[in-house]
Amino acid sequence: MTQKTVKPGSIRALAAGLKAGEFTALELAENCLDRIAARDDDVRAFIKYDPEQLRKAARESDERRLAGRALSEYDGIPIGVKDNIAVAGESCSCASKLLEPVISPYDATVIARLKSAGLIPFGRLNMDEFAMGSSCENSAFRQTANPHDLGRVPGGSSGGSAACVAAEFLPATLGSDTGGSIRQPAAFCGVVGLKPTYGRVSRYGLVAFASSLDQIGPLTVDVPDAGILLDLISGADSRDSTCLPEPPTSTFQAALEGARSGSLRGVRIGLPREYFEGGLTPGVERVTRMAIERLKALGAVMVELSLPHTKYAVAVYYIVATAEASANLARFDGIRYGARVEGSDLVDTYFKTRGAGFGDEVKRRILLGTYVLSSGYYDAYYLRAQKVRTLIRRDFETAFGQCDFMLTPVTPNSAFKFHEKSDPLQMYLSDIFTIALNLSGHCGISVPAGRDDNGMPVGVQFMAPPLAEAGLLRTAAAFEAAGE
Ligand code: GLN
């Protein structure tokens, strides 16, 4: 029997096709699996996936729909999952040898919510080990390639999640963003990536990297789809005390309206000076300037402003994030779960397990983190960094008194070649435009805006005040629609 072709498309388009009976969830699944089989040997977005599991879930979805019991209009749509988000019965290695043997006993809250609407969490997507990195080169297992140029990185740490959408394997994926790990790979791969406000989405079931910064968010083909997924995964969760007592968002409608109305008349867009001062490649600079013109044509008003503490953001981030990581990763000791290398006694077992299980970047971060927390250095580094973090947050509060949203580049450059940034500091600097938003806790989105001189995608970042995702998505959708 010849296979029915289901064209790759947005969550909305696929939901409409399922509803109209143009294809079944199983046919959709088979098409996704065919595309993955044809190209993932080159792209390497997945660490693992089980085709039978997807077929089984798709058949169940078809049965529900046939019986008139579809769990939502999105029932049967597969969503890829970054390897640090727990799905019951599946591995959750965080792309680390240390956690390679782990099978999650439970679903992360975001996964439970997707399942309760009938969506199918599928596969384990590659990432930098424990989400530490900007290129996916820190994965212990494989290097994901950028689908637009296989000689270049997809970004990181959610590189597998971005590449999976860009290669049209699946309509959307989940990633996590601690310092830019959703927005930066989205920009490198030409897809949409949303970092919600801190506390908007439950972190229950997300393996913690830096708990005060981590947020789960969607990577999608367009802005309204990001609204759909955010609405499905957001909302209060008694299992995560840092999750805000807010109901799930209803941002999708706003994003749709933004796309339809196409007007941003009177919307004030802040352009923070520090994000445009030097360091941008000509391609990124050109695309960002064009984005500003597009916003002006939509009626938006540009407001030049300043985020004066921006220059400290990278330093503050690499103190706060490594401090939290060193504490969070202390539990991976070979005793409770994961791989163990037996030593002559308990302490030796810890040493051998962690020595063999963690990669170089993870060890570097643990060393940095324990150093900045150690007595004698705590005041000089950690405490000071927390104070500067407050100043960075205040910069944002002041700026949002002068504008409704801000527009910036996502990264100084587009996707770079493998091994091009072998110096860790060089790599850290690629987060320069994304990490302040994690330190402040605000929300932001990366939207494709054009291509550079190498033909690689370039994104722009919209930033918004806390809990202003609906307006953020409306604005981003209007911008996106005007570029089509
Ligand atoms: N690239 C940054 C880092 O290496 C951010 C990672 C992230 O957001 N998870 O820490």
Side-chain angles (χ1 to χ4, degrees):
M1 196 174 77
T2 47
Q3 166 81 42
K4 179 183 278 180
T5 306
V6 181
K7 277 207 295 238
S10 65
I11 294 176
R12 302 188 303 296
L14 296 175
L18 286 167
K19 184 173 180 203
E22 285 163 21
F23 48 83
T24 62
L26 185 59
E27 286 163 341
L28 167 59
E30 295 293 2
N31 274 264
C32 292
L33 290 170
D34 284 352
R35 289 196 296 272
I36 296 168
R39 219 181 154 212
D40 202 44
D41 282 348
D42 295 328
V43 177
R44 301 179 295 272
F46 288 91
I47 293 177
K48 255 188 198 173
Y49 64 92
D50 174 5
E52 276 317 309
Q53 176 246 340
L54 180 57
R55 291 189 180 108
K56 179 169 173 285
R59 273 189 212 104
E60 287 166 8
S61 168
D62 284 331
E63 281 165 21
R64 282 195 296 272
R65 201 176 279 273
L66 208 60
R69 286 187 290 103
L71 295 170
S72 76
E73 57 194 299
Y74 311 117
D75 199 322
I77 294 185
I79 305 292
V81 184
K82 187 175 179 178
D83 199 31
N84 59 353
I85 301 174
V87 177
E90 295 194 25
S91 61
C92 187
S93 75
C94 298
S96 179
K97 279 192 267 173
L98 208 153
L99 294 187
E100 195 176 2
V102 167
I103 302 292
S104 302
Y106 68 94
D107 281 330
T109 295
V110 294
I111 298 298
R113 288 185 181 166
L114 289 183
K115 285 182 177 172
S116 69
L119 292 92
I120 308 174
F122 175 63
R124 308 301 303 170
L125 290 164
N126 198 26
M127 55 187 281
D128 288 293
E129 184 177 6
F130 287 105
M132 297 173 184
S134 308
S135 67
C136 261
E137 290 167 295
N138 294 338
S139 166
F141 304 123
R142 49 195 352 211
Q143 297 194 333
T144 300
N146 192 310
H148 296 278
D149 176 348
L150 298 174
R152 292 176 189 270
V153 303
S157 63
S158 310
S161 302
C164 181
V165 177
E168 301 183 321
F169 293 158
L170 299 173
T173 58
L174 293 181
S176 67
D177 192 311
T178 304
S181 277
I182 290 176
R183 290 160 288 156
Q184 185 258 21
F188 278 15
C189 290
V191 302
V192 169
L194 170 70
K195 185 204 91 75
T197 305
Y198 184 79
R200 186 61 115 168
V201 177
S202 169
R203 293 184 296 111
Y204 179 74
L206 170 69
V207 179
F209 161 13
S211 314
S212 76
L213 304 163
D214 301 338
Q215 271 291 286
I216 297 173
L219 293 101
T220 54
V221 298
D222 64 13
V223 175
D225 269 12
I228 291 176
L229 280 186
L230 181 66
D231 295 347
L232 289 169
I233 64 174
S234 59
D237 180 15
S238 58
R239 289 173 156 146
D240 172 6
S241 61
T242 64
C243 193
L244 296 166
E246 297 283 328
T249 55
S250 51
T251 57
F252 168 50
Q253 206 50 41
L256 261 194
E257 279 160 19
R260 285 199 194 108
S261 81
S263 168
L264 292 176
R265 190 149 304 125
V267 174
R268 295 169 305 163
I269 305 279
L271 304 174
R273 192 170 309 132
E274 293 76 7
Y275 285 64
F276 294 87
E277 280 167 354
L280 300 184
T281 61
V284 170
E285 167 122 35
R286 176 174 48 77
V287 170
T288 313
R289 297 280 161 208
M290 278 164 42
I292 294 171
E293 293 312 312
R294 199 196 293 177
L295 288 165
K296 284 187 190 160
L298 288 167
V301 183
M302 300 301 132
V303 184
E304 286 201 24
L305 44 79
S306 170
L307 295 169
H309 296 94
T310 299
K311 55 178 173 294
Y312 304 117
V314 172
V316 169
Y317 171 85
Y318 280 95
I319 292 172
V320 172
T322 57
E324 294 185 22
S326 72
N328 277 326
L329 269 57
R331 74 192 71 163
F332 304 125
D333 55 9
I335 304 299
R336 282 163 282 197
Y337 34 63
R340 176 187 306 173
V341 181
E342 290 296 347
S344 53
D345 56 26
L346 183 65
V347 172
D348 194 41
T349 300
Y350 289 159
F351 273 98
K352 290 214 162 83
T353 298
R354 289 165 70 83
F358 289 139
D360 288 346
E361 183 59 27
V362 176
K363 286 179 187 158
R364 185 177 298 121
R365 306 259 181 139
I366 294 173
L367 286 172
L368 269 171
T370 45
Y371 179 78
V372 298
L373 288 176
S374 57
S375 78
Y377 293 106
Y378 179 93
D379 288 359
Y381 293 108
Y382 184 72
L383 195 63
R384 226 183 159 82
Q386 291 291 17
K387 289 180 179 168
V388 182
R389 180 177 185 177
T390 303
L391 297 177
I392 290 171
R393 203 187 58 239
R394 285 199 196 133
D395 279 359
F396 275 84
E397 285 161 8
T398 309
F400 283 124
Q402 299 160 32
C403 67
D404 303 303
F405 306 101
M406 284 191 261
L407 178 87
T408 72
V410 185
T411 49
N413 45 261
S414 63
F416 42 88
K417 298 202 170 112
F418 288 106
H419 314 298
E420 197 177 312
K421 292 193 195 280
S422 44
D423 169 15
L425 256 171
Q426 276 300 97
M427 193 70 95
Y428 295 176
L429 285 173
S430 62
D431 305 321
I432 192 156
F433 299 143
T434 48
I435 59 184
L437 202 76
N438 298 78
L439 292 167
S440 73
H442 294 60
C443 54
I445 189 167
S446 168
V447 185
R451 300 215 173 218
D452 73 359
D453 307 335
N454 296 318
M456 294 307 288
V458 175
V460 289
Q461 171 174 236
F462 289 90
M463 310 197 281
L467 301 179
E469 278 91 348
L472 176 71
L473 291 173
R474 187 182 293 118
T475 305
F479 171 81
E480 178 182 69
E484 277 161 10

